[in-house]
Amino acid sequence: MKGFGVASAAIAAATFFAASAGAATTVDPIVIKGTKFFYETNGTEFYIKGVAYQQDVGGNGTTSTSDTFIDPLTDVAGCTRDIPLLQELQTNTIRVYAINASQDHSQCMQMLQDAGIYLLADLSQPALSINRDTPEWNDELYAQYTSVIDALQNYTNVLGFFAGNEVANSVNTTASSAFVKAAVRDMKAYIQQQKYRSIGVGYATADVSDIRIQLADYFNCGPAADSIDFWGYNIYSWCGNSSYSTSGYEARTEEFANYSVPAFFAEYGCNTVEPRDFTEVAALFGPQMTPVWSGGIVYEYFQEANNYGLVSVTGDTASKLPDFSAYSSQIAMVTPSVVNSASYTPTNTVAQACPTEGADWEAATPLPPTPNQQLCSCMLPALSCIASPNGNDSDVATLFGEICGLVEGVCDGITGNGTTGVYGAYSMCNSTEQLSWVLNAYFQSQKGTQNHDACDFDGAATTQAAASPTGTCASLISQAGSAGTGTVTSIPSGTGSGSSSGSSSKSTTTKKGAAGMVTVPSFSFGMLSLGVYVMAAAMVGAGMVLLIIRQVPDNQEVYLDANGFTSIIFDITERVSHLATDEDALKYHFEDIVETGEGVRMCDSTTATFAKLPTTTPALHLLATTTAPPRPSSSSTAPTPTFTLISLLLLRLPAQETDIAITINIPCMPSSYDEGDVDFEKGKVSGPSAETGDTVKQRVLQSLEIRDWGLFGGGGNEGEE
């Protein structure tokens, strides 16, 4: 998913439409009691007979490649066309994956209400969601999620909200669950703080066997204020004319038999056998499953490339497909037994135990802090050193890595670790605010030294007269603490329509990056946009605990060793086409990265092979050393390397007109190598430093893959000319 440039405008306008939508809401709200849904007034049990209703936004485990989307609840003509067909399918619920909070939903919501159809709405959208690989829960996401709640809360046919959809999909992405659960916690609290009617907040999970139980337990465990109100399960295991046992439905039903909140299928309808006959519908609404499951949502209404559609839409005409008739006949035959709320006594009253962290689960029980944009806004004027708006794009990546490594603890206030459960108070601020915090922390650490350039970094930082915080600001900053590691207990001020940051920082919460879960922010200083890329390199375990610094600028991705020294920089650039050979291009990129001259030695250059790319893909490797320049302050306590070992990989993608340079920088301290390991004149480097560089290089060569070639904006897969 890519950025969505009008997100702030959407959020800013949300209040207007929420207020103007009117209050013509007569449908009976759905409420939760124990593990079941009920009509609030008459107490009849409610089973979800749902259909996923949105085009071109990821469902069924897919990811949208567009940063724009069409909110179907703003398309009055579409609602007029489709709602009668939804009624033919006995539909009482639709699921919409992305809501534009700035637009008017009143007419479609009224038509749905008149038809007795309820809404389950996802709070995220393609440009603003929690990324499984580089998760954050920040003030921009908080504003997006609350804006959707603000826009829809007055409609009584809103059944609930999803705070995430299939975010964690493997063991090594489970740490992202801490950030999603924080979103659940904060949206539940927001609904209460705004005194809206009770509307449930849940999560929709992928059916991943390795983490299926742990995910369900994690989102259900702990205080009720932090846990989900309902559990959505995206499951596609009943294919063709399967059975209750063969499909795994029986096993899943047994697993959720003692779950303490309502559970339902948030997506279902396998299409590996076509046309679909939907024989699972009878089982889902039959006596074996209804004691545990509250129905489900068939995927999907619109026919798209994935071939799950019930109808095909051309212009203003919707044509029924074979799946429409098959599903219609199956859903018409079900008559699930119901209970009345007054006579129902919940028996599953105990939440699940939180899963133990280990090899098969990486999310900590402590959750990230609640985003508080007021705290971030209060912090900036109180700093003496802040990020300069005229900072140089090309220096930002190395600048941030350098600051975090100069003095221990300067980045603690802005990092967030979903695995250890340790979060800085400012980890939820936007990128410009976080960079300013780090610059100021380093600047303060240098007071009393002779480092007169501590707030400069070649123009990337600038000093200002720090204002003394007063009133609420003083309280918030005091709670955050001088190191930024305190706990802020004050609740956020403002609503979803007014709490979006006004900075120029660009969201990166949806970019799929490489593996790793300890995150520091992205930055915006003009944003060099050469193309959005999706790569993965599983380098965790190669002797490095990776600290992710994303999009610095847009064409860079930086990984920093936990000790703040060794770094890996991925740099995506336009292909160098004016040089005759790949070897010339390799030297060109090296000279662009390293200012050549006295102290720089190129030791060796060879061809290279990336295991997960076509063997014909041009790739080269260069090994070099550069003598490290002296620190700005001779009195700094940070260790000073004697030289830096540079391992440069160049990946050339002719069809995409792209070069990807991967630079591994290993600063070598005097105590980390023997004199016999290095001979600069002969270009010799051996010993532990060289071994570390080779280990990381091999890990990159073996694991780097390009997951979406289309995002380069030119051509198909490598090799397709």
Side-chain angles (χ1 to χ4, degrees):
M1 298 180 185
K2 297 181 285 184
F4 186 44
V6 298
S8 60
I11 292 170
T15 300
F16 170 79
F17 281 123
S20 64
T25 51
T26 58
V27 70
D28 198 11
I30 302 301
V31 296
I32 295 171
K33 181 179 180 182
T35 61
K36 298 181 180 296
F37 294 108
F38 296 94
Y39 289 97
E40 184 177 49
T41 301
N42 63 25
T44 302
E45 186 175 359
F46 180 86
Y47 287 98
I48 295 171
K49 298 179 180 178
V51 176
Y53 184 71
Q54 189 161 24
Q55 288 180 287
D56 301 323
V57 173
N60 182 237
T62 62
T63 300
S64 171
T65 57
S66 173
D67 57 1
T68 60
F69 65 94
I70 297 174
D71 182 342
L73 302 184
T74 65
D75 180 6
V76 177
C79 291
T80 302
R81 175 196 65 215
D82 296 332
I83 288 176
L85 294 175
L86 290 169
Q87 287 180 289
E88 283 189 42
L89 297 172
Q90 313 290 316
T91 305
N92 64 14
T93 306
I94 60 171
R95 179 180 178 185
V96 175
Y97 294 88
I99 297 291
N100 187 336
S102 70
Q103 296 185 357
D104 183 8
H105 303 91
S106 59
Q107 293 186 65
C108 280
M109 289 300 290
Q110 185 63 53
M111 284 188 277
L112 289 168
Q113 172 186 277
D114 294 341
I117 297 175
Y118 292 80
L119 170 66
L120 277 165
D122 288 58
L123 296 173
S124 61
Q125 51 148 292
L128 291 166
S129 64
I130 296 171
N131 183 317
R132 66 174 63 98
D133 297 311
T134 54
E136 293 180 275
W137 176 233
N138 56 32
D139 56 4
E140 189 175 22
L141 286 172
Y142 184 92
Q144 157 65 22
Y145 286 30
T146 54
S147 73
V148 174
I149 292 174
D150 289 340
L152 297 177
Q153 55 78 28
N154 60 314
Y155 302 109
T156 56
N157 59 332
V158 173
L159 194 159
F161 300 108
F162 285 115
N165 180 65
E166 299 191 2
V167 180
N169 64 358
S170 61
V171 172
N172 66 359
T173 60
T174 53
S176 63
S177 300
F179 297 83
V180 181
K181 191 171 180 179
V184 171
R185 174 200 64 199
D186 292 342
M187 294 306 98
K188 291 176 63 170
Y190 181 79
I191 290 169
Q192 290 186 330
Q193 291 157 11
Q194 299 302 312
K195 294 182 171 55
Y196 295 152
R197 70 178 176 88
S198 179
I199 308 174
V201 180
Y203 177 72
T205 183
D207 182 27
V208 182
S209 59
D210 291 345
I211 56 174
R212 181 189 294 133
I213 300 300
Q214 298 95 315
L215 273 169
D217 290 351
Y218 184 79
F219 279 93
N220 182 242
C221 74
D226 296 351
S227 60
I228 50 156
D229 295 315
F230 53 78
W231 185 248
Y233 195 14
N234 300 345
I235 181 169
Y236 292 84
S237 61
W238 187 305
C239 301
N241 191 23
S242 188
S243 68
Y244 179 56
S245 177
T246 302
S247 66
Y249 277 26
E250 181 178 20
R252 304 292 83 78
T253 301
E254 291 173 355
E255 289 165 355
F256 281 86
N258 65 346
Y259 212 57
S260 65
V261 299
F264 57 92
F265 288 2
E267 291 175 7
Y268 74 97
C270 172
N271 71 347
T272 59
V273 178
E274 295 180 334
R276 295 183 286 180
D277 54 21
F278 292 103
T279 53
E280 68 265 46
V281 171
L284 179 58
F285 293 93
Q288 292 175 302
M289 296 187 70
T290 51
V292 174
W293 303 98
S294 295
I297 300 168
V298 68
Y299 189 84
E300 64 173 324
Y301 183 80
F302 296 100
Q303 175 72 329
E304 299 184 90
N306 57 16
N307 208 33
Y308 280 88
L310 301 177
V311 304
S312 176
V313 175
T314 303
D316 295 329
T317 302
S319 302
K320 299 176 184 178
L321 297 174
D323 284 359
F324 184 100
S325 299
Y327 175 69
S328 178
S329 63
Q330 292 287 347
I331 197 70
M333 291 188 292
V334 301
T335 54
S337 61
V338 298
V339 298
N340 190 275
S341 176
S343 59
Y344 166 66
T345 301
T347 56
N348 299 342
T349 57
V350 179
Q352 306 300 304
C354 292
T356 302
E357 289 180 70
D360 57 355
W361 184 256
E362 296 182 357
T365 301
L367 304 178
T370 299
N372 191 322
Q373 203 275 329
Q374 186 178 14
L375 167 64
C376 303
S377 298
C378 289
M379 173 262 289
L380 268 182
L383 304 179
S384 300
C385 178
I386 61 172
S388 170
N390 300 317
N392 190 321
D393 276 343
S394 62
D395 293 338
V396 172
T398 52
L399 165 66
F400 201 97
E402 180 183 357
I403 298 171
C404 290
L406 284 173
V407 177
E408 184 178 358
V410 293
C411 290
D412 290 352
I414 57 111
T415 58
N417 191 329
T419 299
T420 65
V422 177
Y423 311 94
Y426 299 105
S427 62
M428 47 72 196
C429 297
N430 69 51
S431 58
T432 302
E433 293 161 342
Q434 290 182 328
L435 179 57
S436 293
W437 166 263
V438 171
L439 287 165
N440 187 73
Y442 175 72
F443 180 64
Q444 297 300 325
S445 74
Q446 297 301 294
K447 286 191 173 181
T449 72
Q450 299 301 310
N451 185 0
H452 303 298
D453 297 323
C455 186
D456 182 58
F457 290 96
D458 294 328
T462 184
T463 58
Q464 68 173 13
S468 298
T470 60
T472 302
C473 281
S475 175
L476 290 171
I477 291 176
S478 175
Q479 291 175 43
S482 59
T485 55
T487 300
V488 178
T489 58
S490 300
I491 63 172
S493 60
T495 66
S497 56
S499 61
S500 178
S501 171
S503 78
S504 61
S505 66
K506 180 179 179 180
S507 168
T508 62
T509 51
T510 59
K511 190 179 79 65
K512 290 193 174 183
M517 286 297 162
V518 186
T519 61
V520 245
S522 56
F523 303 94
S524 176
F525 287 110
M527 291 301 178
L528 177 62
S529 297
L530 294 177
V532 179
Y533 65 102
V534 175
M535 295 191 294
M539 292 166 290
V540 177
M544 300 179 69
V545 177
L546 298 180
L547 194 62
I548 300 173
I549 309 171
R550 297 181 314 287
Q551 287 188 317
V552 248
D554 261 7
N555 63 311
Q556 280 188 343
E557 186 115 5
V558 176
Y559 295 78
L560 179 69
D561 178 72
N563 294 318
F565 298 109
T566 300
S567 63
I568 307 173
I569 300 175
F570 291 78
D571 200 343
I572 180 170
T573 70
E574 291 180 281
R575 188 172 187 269
V576 177
S577 57
H578 65 282
L579 299 175
T581 67
D582 291 334
E583 288 76 13
D584 291 337
L586 177 67
K587 293 178 181 178
Y588 176 91
H589 282 288
F590 177 75
E591 292 172 357
D592 186 56
I593 293 167
V594 179
E595 188 173 334
T596 57
E598 188 68 26
V600 177
R601 298 284 188 275
M602 285 184 280
C603 305
D604 186 30
S605 63
T606 60
T607 58
T609 301
F610 286 83
K612 295 186 178 182
L613 296 176
T615 55
T616 56
T617 306
L620 303 96
H621 174 253
L622 182 148
L623 193 66
T625 62
T626 179
T627 304
R631 293 287 183 188
S633 169
S634 59
S635 60
S636 172
T637 59
T640 302
T642 306
F643 69 96
T644 299
L645 179 64
I646 300 171
S647 182
L648 173 63
L649 287 164
L650 178 62
L651 175 61
R652 313 207 74 198
L653 307 176
Q656 288 70 34
E657 299 181 354
T658 298
D659 284 344
I660 299 176
I662 305 161
T663 311
I664 304 165
N665 301 295
I666 306 174
C668 299
M669 307 302 167
S671 60
S672 67
Y673 65 93
D674 297 329
E675 289 187 10
D677 292 339
V678 180
D679 188 327
F680 294 119
E681 296 302 322
K682 295 181 179 179
K684 173 190 173 185
V685 181
S686 59
S689 298
E691 291 172 2
T692 298
D694 187 66
T695 299
V696 177
K697 180 193 76 172
Q698 291 301 326
R699 185 63 66 94
V700 173
L701 289 172
Q702 292 300 313
S703 63
L704 185 139
E705 60 183 306
I706 297 175
R707 294 176 179 168
D708 191 339
W709 293 86
L711 294 184
F712 286 98
N717 288 4
E718 173 61 23
E720 295 180 4
E721 299 292 344

